[in-house]
Amino acid sequence: QVQLVESGGGLVQAGDSLRLSCAFSGRTYSDYVLAWFRQAPGKEREFVARISTSGGMTYYADSVKGRFTISKDNAKNTMYLQMNSLKAEDTAVYYCAWRSLYTAQYAYWGQGTQVTVSS
């Protein structure tokens, strides 16, 4: 079991920055991937970014590339999503998720944190 708890969401204006955190705990094992997803009202959940323990490789959706940065603090067991130059279309509930490096499906999810960007 892996527990994930997001925090840091809020209401900001377009162009502002916000940093989300995802505290994780439990039996994470050594090789895993942590990711951020988001779901806007009336839309399907979409991938935002991921980071792996294998070399700390990162990958971003085209819609956030250059504006968002994913990182992880191993000492704190926390993953972050630094979001800069926020746009109204970034408004969504943001979720963090965990999967083994050797599987494709994310097995554990957090409860989500709301990000609202006003224009």
Side-chain angles (χ1 to χ4, degrees):
Q1 285 282 351
V2 177
Q3 294 78 42
L4 303 161
V5 179
E6 304 96 334
S7 61
L11 172 63
V12 297
Q13 293 187 337
D16 285 352
S17 297
L18 201 60
R19 189 178 79 160
L20 305 182
S21 300
C22 172
F24 56 94
S25 60
R27 303 188 66 176
T28 57
Y29 303 102
S30 58
D31 296 330
Y32 56 89
V33 176
L34 288 166
W36 288 99
F37 289 78
R38 66 186 182 186
Q39 187 167 21
K43 295 186 177 181
E44 293 191 353
R45 185 170 58 196
E46 65 173 357
F47 167 80
V48 175
R50 69 172 183 254
I51 185 167
S52 70
T53 55
S54 178
M57 293 178 63
T58 59
Y59 184 80
Y60 298 90
D62 288 342
S63 59
V64 306
K65 200 173 296 182
R67 298 189 298 123
F68 290 10
T69 302
I70 189 171
S71 62
K72 186 164 71 70
D73 186 331
N74 292 327
K76 296 182 178 180
N77 277 4
T78 302
M79 173 179 65
Y80 303 99
L81 185 68
Q82 177 67 43
M83 305 185 294
N84 298 330
S85 301
L86 282 162
K87 305 175 182 179
E89 50 264 44
D90 294 319
T91 295
V93 177
Y94 284 71
Y95 300 90
C96 61
W98 180 98
R99 66 171 173 86
S100 165
L101 185 63
Y102 309 107
T103 63
Q105 187 173 10
Y106 287 87
Y108 299 100
W109 295 80
Q111 82 289 348
T113 186
Q114 175 71 47
V115 172
T116 303
V117 184
S118 65
S119 55

